[in-house]
Amino acid sequence: MSELKQTRAAVVKNPNGLHARPADLLVKLAMKFSSNIVIVKGFERVDAKSILGILTLAATEGTELSIEAEGADATAAVDALAELVSSTFGEE
């Protein structure tokens, strides 16, 4: 099986940033995919399946993130995660 590598950019739109609840949602969504997924903020790279990693990004509203995935379902993974990050995670 060929490995696909995909990247999508997303801006955090949640007014409260990526705090614990949105980070949990992001990790749970990432866990649905078999691909290796990394979230990048500047020079920081964290495993999208690690809530601790996501929280260490301290991503606030307006933060630009890059979502990188490599694996058989990479395209679906980056699309789904970019859409979630670009939402308000159900918070207003």
Side-chain angles (χ1 to χ4, degrees), residues 4-88:
L4 298 174
K5 185 172 184 178
Q6 299 290 326
T7 302
R8 296 281 186 283
V11 175
V12 176
K13 292 186 178 173
N14 185 0
N16 298 313
L18 277 180
H19 61 84
R21 196 186 72 75
D24 182 55
L25 292 173
L26 194 150
V27 169
K28 286 179 179 172
L29 181 58
M31 295 292 282
K32 293 181 179 178
F33 299 97
S34 63
S35 293
N36 293 320
I37 308 169
V38 175
I39 307 289
V40 181
K41 175 188 157 195
F43 296 108
E44 297 176 75
R45 300 175 62 83
V46 300
D47 182 351
K49 297 177 182 178
S50 164
I51 193 164
L52 183 59
I54 300 299
L55 290 172
T56 61
L57 290 175
T60 59
E61 181 180 21
T63 299
E64 291 186 25
L65 300 175
S66 178
I67 301 163
E68 301 175 1
E70 188 167 356
D73 55 2
T75 300
V78 295
D79 287 347
L81 291 170
E83 183 177 327
L84 180 63
V85 169
S86 298
S87 75
T88 59

